[in-house]
Amino acid sequence: MDKKVRVRFAPSPTGGLHLGGVRTALFNYLFAKKNNGTFVLRVEDTDQSRFVEGAEQYIVNCLNWCGITPDESPDHPGVYGPYRQSERKASYRKFAEQLISDGYAYYAFDTPEDLDAKRKEIPNFQYGQATRMQMRNSLTLTVSEVEELLAAKTPHVIRIKVPGDEIVHFNDLIRGDVSFETALVDDKVLLKADGMPTYHLAVVVDDKAMEISHAFRGEEWLPSAPVHILLWKYLGWETDMPQWAHLPLILKPDGHGKLSKRDGDRLGFPVYAMNWTDPKTGDVTRGFKEMGFMPEAFINMLALLGWNDGTDQELFSLKELEEKFSIERISKAGAKFDFEKAKWYNHEWIKAENAERLAPSVKTELKKAGIEIKDDAFLHTIIDLIKDRCTLLPDFLAQSGYFFVSPAEYDVNSVKPKWTAEKAEFFNSFAAGLTLTDAGSAEAAFKALAEEKGFKPGELMLPFRIMLVGGKFGPGVFDIAVLLGVAETQARIAKAIAVFNA
């Protein structure tokens, strides 16, 4: 590559971080790592009306949880700062005024009422080539009128003057040659009345200032590309323009339309990386982290929404993704989000992870139920025994809680219909002679006693399991008994017999 790779993730601090945003950050990060480049976090906070307190720190927390920490950011500035657009405000007006001087932009003094009236007059009104000469701007007013309005600090915006009959071409690294007719593009606002830039001006000025080499963004930004390319040209920076890559959309599970928060609410799955609490309403929107996803699984799932390495491999560590990622393998087509597949990734990552790494998360889940772990070695043994049964991290509570706390309730309905005094006597006898050196010998003793008492072992196994764990779940029942120990197993048998006899 001709110049050093510098890529940026540039979110607006307006609320929760959608998984599509995280994927954009991930692809930027992976491309930077693959090419020994720099991954920049730039906060696009110029729209003060939508700014939400705490949203910037939330974005940083999400990226840190995912393990895709930026090389440069507001918290870790490099030489290209500042990294918040609101702190770069002075530079934007200078370039907007330069565009006016060069004939590529103009002042527009139209009031909100003027614009509303024009929208009522013209269906699907667009402020552009066909309508700009009907409006109140520096193209229709005299020079002295414009000077008077500016001197009086009359509210105004600055708009780009899009040419009427050009074709804008560019090469998209994912989509190939893309072209737009400028006759279909409106005169976007570049600088708002409050002096803040819009996205269109800010993204160009900032990408130039930060020497961004490649711009990854969602395909919903494709219609804005001609305005941005014209700005690079009009500002005289065409040779420094980044290479574009417009990423495919993440689609609803049925494939019809872009995945939204509303879809997650409706279908019962998260679309944000982490829980987002609205500071005004206090409403909490669920995130993948709090639902019990491991960051490794979340990143793995996201990477394969629109990318693959050309093989059948589905499980990738972040390190493997860094090594194998390539733009050429990104699909043009949208990728359908499948929550069941997302859970499959998490299940596979839980199964593959060692007990020591899982232990802090499992402790957190147990602590929610008031269970404090004092013996880490014991916990590690249990994790190894049950992790294959856990899809989400909260599953560890249901699958392991009974190792620490005797069941408070029993699935009595699964035992009662076939419960007899003879079975009660069998379990009393089994408990009295119980030894638990290992699961194999315990099972052999259980079966021998069953045969002696005239029972088939199978009809006693379910009651025994329910005695120990409360329900019809868990690993091998004799493995459970060995871990509980003789005294606890005897106590649980006695307690359950009393319930079953009642």
Side-chain angles (χ1 to χ4, degrees):
M1 295 189 181
D2 296 330
K3 56 183 178 178
K4 181 171 170 56
V5 167
R6 287 180 57 80
V7 296
R8 46 61 173 176
F9 176 52
S12 298
T14 56
L17 187 55
H18 186 280
L19 57 91
V22 185
R23 190 193 61 175
T24 299
L26 173 63
F27 283 5
N28 273 289
Y29 171 91
L30 295 176
F31 185 74
K33 294 301 171 191
K34 180 72 180 284
N35 295 288
N36 298 311
T38 302
F39 171 48
V40 178
L41 171 65
R42 184 174 74 218
V43 179
E44 300 202 338
D45 60 347
T46 55
D47 189 345
Q48 294 298 297
S49 66
R50 297 178 64 225
F51 176 79
V52 176
E53 196 66 45
E56 181 185 319
Q57 186 59 50
Y58 165 86
I59 291 166
V60 170
N61 294 345
C62 288
L63 297 182
N64 287 341
W65 175 65
C66 292
I68 51 176
T69 307
D71 301 303
E72 297 173 19
S73 69
D75 294 333
H76 300 283
V79 298
Y80 295 91
Y83 292 83
R84 293 185 189 92
Q85 285 185 336
S86 59
E87 296 169 11
R88 305 172 72 93
K89 184 177 176 180
S91 67
Y92 303 118
R93 177 165 282 280
K94 178 181 75 170
F95 292 114
E97 298 281 3
Q98 178 188 320
L99 289 165
I100 290 175
S101 299
D102 294 341
Y104 296 125
Y106 57 92
Y107 299 108
F109 299 94
D110 316 278
T111 65
E113 293 75 24
D114 293 336
L115 294 169
D116 283 342
K118 193 57 75 173
R119 289 187 193 103
K120 288 172 185 169
E121 180 189 328
I122 302 174
N124 303 315
F125 167 72
Q126 275 198 321
Y127 203 126
Q129 303 96 313
T131 58
R132 63 169 78 113
M133 299 310 290
Q134 304 169 31
M135 307 303 291
R136 191 165 176 253
N137 55 53
S138 57
L139 303 176
T140 60
L141 300 167
T142 65
V143 173
S144 61
E145 285 174 326
V146 171
E147 287 174 351
E148 283 176 22
L149 288 167
L150 292 175
K153 293 189 166 41
T154 306
H156 64 277
V157 300
I158 294 177
R159 291 181 179 270
I160 185 172
K161 187 180 174 187
V162 177
D165 54 357
E166 288 185 18
I167 303 292
V168 174
H169 283 277
F170 72 96
N171 181 63
D172 188 283
L173 293 171
I174 295 170
R175 293 156 203 287
D177 186 60
V178 180
S179 61
F180 291 91
E181 296 178 33
T182 57
L184 304 175
V185 180
D186 57 325
D187 291 354
K188 299 289 187 195
V189 173
L190 302 179
L191 203 74
K192 294 176 285 190
D194 63 1
M196 281 292 193
T198 62
Y199 172 77
H200 305 293
L201 179 63
V203 73
V204 172
V205 171
D206 290 348
D207 282 354
K208 165 66 175 170
M210 292 184 169
E211 297 182 12
I212 298 302
S213 64
H214 297 76
F216 290 80
R217 59 186 183 183
E219 74 170 66
E220 63 267 32
W221 289 107
L222 207 48
S224 300
V227 172
H228 301 163
I229 289 162
L230 287 171
L231 286 172
W232 280 97
K233 177 182 172 183
Y234 292 164
L235 289 164
W237 302 335
E238 207 167 2
T239 56
D240 295 323
M241 185 168 69
Q243 290 184 268
W244 302 95
H246 287 86
L247 305 174
L249 294 176
I250 297 178
L251 304 174
K252 301 172 193 283
D254 64 7
H256 296 119
K258 182 181 174 183
L259 181 71
S260 70
K261 176 180 169 292
R262 195 175 293 110
D263 297 315
D265 294 341
R266 177 172 56 89
L267 298 169
F269 56 74
V271 297
Y272 287 170
M274 293 168 60
N275 275 11
W276 167 250
T277 303
D278 187 310
K280 290 180 181 173
T281 65
D283 291 342
V284 177
T285 304
R286 280 191 308 174
F288 280 86
K289 176 180 184 286
E290 289 76 9
M291 184 172 248
F293 275 78
M294 295 175 65
E296 296 88 346
F298 180 60
I299 285 298
N300 191 164
M301 176 271 295
L302 276 186
L304 272 75
L305 282 173
W307 174 87
N308 67 77
D309 74 335
T311 72
D312 292 332
Q313 183 176 342
E314 291 191 276
L315 298 177
F316 294 87
S317 67
L318 187 56
K319 195 74 186 163
E320 286 177 300
L321 289 170
E322 290 171 17
E323 292 165 0
K324 297 190 176 188
F325 183 77
S326 67
I327 293 182
E328 292 75 21
R329 297 298 312 174
I330 297 176
S331 169
K332 294 184 185 70
K336 283 195 283 190
F337 177 70
D338 181 345
F339 187 54
E340 292 307 310
K341 185 69 174 182
K343 289 193 292 185
W344 176 84
Y345 280 110
N346 208 57
H347 182 50
E348 292 300 313
W349 270 97
I350 285 174
K351 287 196 298 183
E353 193 56 272
N354 66 52
E356 196 171 348
R357 287 280 310 279
L358 286 168
S361 298
V362 176
K363 281 183 177 180
T364 299
E365 296 302 329
L366 293 170
K367 193 171 184 178
K368 290 175 188 174
I371 300 170
E372 295 283 351
I373 302 301
K374 295 182 174 62
D375 185 343
D376 281 352
F378 181 56
L379 178 63
H380 293 173
T381 302
I382 289 165
I383 289 172
D384 281 330
L385 190 62
I386 65 168
K387 65 182 182 178
D388 286 9
R389 301 169 179 275
C390 299
T391 298
L392 300 169
L393 291 172
D395 295 343
F396 277 97
L397 174 59
Q399 293 290 345
S400 71
Y402 54 83
F403 282 107
F404 307 98
V405 179
S406 179
E409 296 179 352
Y410 298 92
D411 182 2
V412 176
N413 292 335
S414 295
V415 178
K416 274 276 196 179
K418 295 183 178 178
W419 184 250
T420 61
E422 289 75 20
K423 286 182 179 177
E425 193 273 326
F426 164 84
F427 280 106
N428 280 320
S429 298
F430 176 67
L434 187 62
T435 57
L436 291 172
T437 50
D438 62 81
S441 60
E443 184 174 3
F446 185 91
K447 288 180 175 177
L449 183 62
E451 193 173 329
E452 180 188 318
K453 300 285 187 182
F455 290 108
K456 292 178 181 175
E459 59 185 305
L460 299 169
M461 296 287 259
L462 181 61
F464 187 34
R465 176 177 294 281
I466 291 173
M467 287 173 173
L468 299 188
V469 308
K472 298 186 285 187
F473 58 89
V477 69
F478 297 100
D479 292 314
I480 296 171
V482 168
L483 285 167
L484 290 175
V486 172
E488 180 64 18
T489 299
Q490 288 172 328
R492 291 192 185 190
I493 290 171
K495 179 182 170 187
I497 288 174
V499 173
F500 298 164
N501 284 342

